[in-house]
């Protein structure tokens, strides 16, 4: 599904990623952990084509095709989804309008029929119920004066509506209370199937208790320094990143 | 309805009058017109209207059932002076339409309209400047408004439909105690426009809220001046100017808040935000505060920027094309001014107009 080879990425003329190799097969959930400044969000940004993330070397392949030259909207239309660490507030754009535009743009690009207002609302309500969200959020503007939890739940709602084949969740569990983490885990688990892959960037072990990952990667200083199964996340929880920092040097 | 010498009025049953009627009917019945939209919201009652065609008053229009004009000419040297008298017969919960319509090329329209809103009453004034067939014309218009104690006026001014028009608009508002004035000025058209709004808060507890949305394209040039004079204690004012410029358009904003010595406990806020959509568009902003007393809360700010790249990326990363994302953000920028317009049918109509304008811009 996703294959990253020898990826070097610069931001503001500073090399952040120094040769990342990562392979996520279809149907697998991988977890990326690492200390602050390790390059986790830069990797997510580079996969989603965030402006300012300049790829100087290496390649990103999605479903066997290189996507490094594609603009962000085309990557999304191929089924790639990035849940933002800090979702952007857009006063003046109602959430319902944004979600509907987005869902229909992706459906249209994939040759599927557009959803009309009724069909869209039905789907949105269904997922909002699952995520324990208040429907009035739809009438408010995108992330405008949303609480931290509401913002993150909205990202998951969007993911559920778009049904991406590759989802990258950039610290979506940060700042969430226990109930919200459970709702998040439910959202993730409801999307898991053989055709969908996920990359979860996180600092915490609590989400991983409810979402069983296939593989855990530790990133440090712009490289993936160790990969393993769920036990690796437990080790991080107990010992911190200290042992891996030595490994990076 | 009485006729007064020196006032330019169209005589009924003349060619000019019939032409005027046709133009008004066109303005009223086109799918984008206010009246059609109002009707679609189940409001069958026609708007109450005062209509000027090419600077001439239309005394008894058949196309609008309720026309109210009172005359008070002074030195009417080709200047139309009209005093609108609001009395009990007017339904103040229905908007009063003040329509300036240009139909002939190269015409000059001069009008001075005086409006007094009596104490304890509430009125909505809808001032439209339009032309159906795009003639080039010059419009010089002065509107003098008196707000008596405990009165409220919601004033919506629309410059639309007239690509080649030139405007010089002056608005003077004098507010007495506990009165409230709210202005929404939406400028979409005209090659050159200058709008000066001066509000005098003359007695305690008066408040005003001035909001302008200025859209410039091609080589359009617009100048907005908003001045609020705080002359009495416990008054409050808010000014919001939003400019959206593309092509080689230029927009100038001068906002001024003057707080006199006796105007203690004043609350005043002023904000100007402009967005430039093209390389050659220009925006100048000059917010000013002139405060002569202590015990006031005043603030001001001004920004000139482009569309937020981070927000654009956020929309794109969810599959929305860049072009559409730009349209969405541009529309969102205008919402801050539009979303407070009442009644709902007027707001929706304006939002649709704005959407069409933005689709043509981007």
């Amino acid at each position: 599904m996703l294959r990253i080879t020898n990826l070097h990425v610069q931001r503001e003329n500073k090399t952040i990623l120094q040769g990342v190799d990562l392979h996520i097969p279809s149907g697998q959930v991988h977890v990326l952990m690492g200390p602050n400044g390790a390059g986790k969000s830069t990797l997510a940004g580079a996969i989603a084509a965030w402006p300012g993330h300049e790829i100087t070397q290496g390649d990103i392949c999605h479903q066997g095709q290189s996507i490094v030259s594609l603009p962000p909207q085309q990557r999304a239309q191929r089924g790639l989804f990035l849940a933002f660490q800090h979702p952007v507030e857009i006063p003046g754009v109602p959430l319902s309008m944004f979600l509907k535009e987005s869902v229909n743009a992706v459906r249209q690009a994939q040759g599927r029929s557009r959803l009309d207002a009724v069909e869209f609302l039905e789907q949105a309500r269904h997922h909002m119920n699952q995520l324990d969200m208040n429907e009035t959020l739809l009438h408010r503007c995108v992330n405008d004066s949303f609480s931290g939890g509401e913002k993150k739940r909205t990202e998951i709602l969007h993911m559920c509506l778009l049904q991406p084949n590759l989802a990258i969740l950039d610290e979506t569990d940060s700042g969430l209370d226990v109930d919200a983490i459970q709702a998040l885990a439910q959202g993730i688990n409801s999307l898991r199937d053989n055709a969908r892959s996920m990359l979860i960037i996180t600092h915490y072990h609590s989400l991983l208790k409810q979402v069983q990952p296939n593989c855990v990667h530790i990133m440090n200083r712009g490289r993936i320094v160790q990969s393993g199964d769920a036990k690796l996340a437990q080790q991080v929880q107990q010992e911190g990143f200290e042992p891996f920092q030595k490994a990076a040097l | 309805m009485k006729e007064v010498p020196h006032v330019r009025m169209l005589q009924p049953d003349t060619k000019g009058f019939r032409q005027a009627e046709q133009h008004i009917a066109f303005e009223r019945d086109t799918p984008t017109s206010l009246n059609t939209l109002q009707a679609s919201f189940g409001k069958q009652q026609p708007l109450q209207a005062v209509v000027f065609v090419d600077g001439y008053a239309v005394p008894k229009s058949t196309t609008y059932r309720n026309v109210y004009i009172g005359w008070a000419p002074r030195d009417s040297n080709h200047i139309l002076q009209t005093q609108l008298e609001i009395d009990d017969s007017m339904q103040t919960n229905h908007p009063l339409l003040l329509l300036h319509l240009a139909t002939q090329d190269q015409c000059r329209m001069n009008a001075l309209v005086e409006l007094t809103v009596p104490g304890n009453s509430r009125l909505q004034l809808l001032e439209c400047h339009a032309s159906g067939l795009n003639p080039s014309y010059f419009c010089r218009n002065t509107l003098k408004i008196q707000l008596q104690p405990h009165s409220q006026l919601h004033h919506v001014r629309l410059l639309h439909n007239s690509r080649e028009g030139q405007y010089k608009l002056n608005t003077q508002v004098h507010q007495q105690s506990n009165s409230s004035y709210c202005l929404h000025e939406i400028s979409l058209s005209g090659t050159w426009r200058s709008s000066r709004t001066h509000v005098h808060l003359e007695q305690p507890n008066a408040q005003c809220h001035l909001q302008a949305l200025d859209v410039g394209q091609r080589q359009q040039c617009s100048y907005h001046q908003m001045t609020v004079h705080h002359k009495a204690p416990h008054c409050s004012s808010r000014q919001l100017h939003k400019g959206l410029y593309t092509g080689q358009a230029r927009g100038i904003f001068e906002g001024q808040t003057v707080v006199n010595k006796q105007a203690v406990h004043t609350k005043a806020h002023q904000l100007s935000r402009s967005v430039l959509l093209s390389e050659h568009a220009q925006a100048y902003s000059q917010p000013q505060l002139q405060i002569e007393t202590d015990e006031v809360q005043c603030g001001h700010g001004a920004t000139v920027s482009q569309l937020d790249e981070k927000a654009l990326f956020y929309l794109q990363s969810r599959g929305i094309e860049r072009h559409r994302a730009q349209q969405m953000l541009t529309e969102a920028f205008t919402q801050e001014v539009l979303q407070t317009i009442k009644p709902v049918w007027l707001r929706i109509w304006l939002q649709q107009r704005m959407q069409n304008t933005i689709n043509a811009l981007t």
Side-chain angles (χ1 to χ4, degrees), chain A residues 73 77 82 101-102 155 158, chain B residues 314 316 318-319 321 324:
Chain A
Q73 66 271 27
Q77 289 162 4
L82 169 65
E101 283 273 346
S102 155
E155 295 289 278
H158 205 159
Chain B
Y314 187 58
Q316 280 180 277
R318 300 295 155 88
E321 294 293 337
R324 177 70 193 126

Side-chain angles (χ1 to χ4, degrees), chain B residues 231-246:
Chain B
K231 296 178 176 173
H234 297 285
C235 291
S236 69
S237 69
R238 291 183 76 84
Q239 296 176 45
L240 173 68
H241 167 264
K242 289 200 134 183
L244 192 62
Y245 307 105
T246 183

Side-chain angles (χ1 to χ4, degrees), chain B residues 9 111 163 200 205 254 322 326 332 339 361:
Chain B
M9 287 181 71
R163 204 172 144 159
H200 302 264
N205 295 312
E254 271 180 28
R322 188 175 173 86
Q326 283 169 335
Q339 71 190 2
L361 285 183

Side-chain angles (χ1 to χ4, degrees), chain B residues 64-85:
Chain B
Y64 285 102
R65 199 189 305 153
N66 304 321
V67 177
Y68 297 83
I69 302 182
W71 302 102
R74 267 174 262 160
D75 52 344
S76 309
N77 184 15
H78 292 297
I79 293 181
L80 184 76
Q81 294 200 355
T82 304
Q83 191 162 5
L84 296 172
E85 288 162 2

Side-chain angles (χ1 to χ4, degrees), chain B residues 297-316:
Chain B
Q297 285 180 32
C298 293
H300 67 168
T303 59
V304 177
S305 63
Q306 291 162 322
L307 290 178
D308 182 5
E309 273 299 326
K310 202 173 171 193
L312 271 176
F313 171 68
Y314 187 58
L315 297 179
Q316 280 180 277

Side-chain angles (χ1 to χ4, degrees), chain A residues 130-156:
Chain A
Q130 276 194 332
L131 292 168
D132 195 21
M133 290 172 77
N134 192 335
E135 277 180 30
T136 53
L137 276 188
L138 283 177
H139 308 296
R140 287 169 54 187
C141 292
V142 179
N143 296 321
D144 191 19
S145 341
F146 281 23
S147 71
E150 284 171 333
K151 284 183 186 174
K152 298 293 174 82
R153 278 178 207 237
T154 304
E155 295 289 278
I156 300 304

Side-chain angles (χ1 to χ4, degrees), chain B residues 240-288:
Chain B
L240 173 68
H241 167 264
K242 289 200 134 183
L244 192 62
Y245 307 105
T246 183
Q248 289 160 290
R250 267 183 304 161
I252 301 158
F253 171 72
E254 271 180 28
Q256 199 175 17
T257 302
V258 183
V259 183
N260 287 6
K261 264 191 182 149
Q262 57 272 36
V264 288
H265 301 295
T266 285
K267 283 184 188 169
H269 192 260
Q270 198 182 59
L271 179 67
S272 165
R273 290 184 62 198
S274 294
V275 165
L276 303 178
L277 295 175
S278 73
E279 204 179 322
H280 297 291
Q282 296 173 42
Y284 303 90
S285 273
Q286 198 177 19
Q288 296 170 56

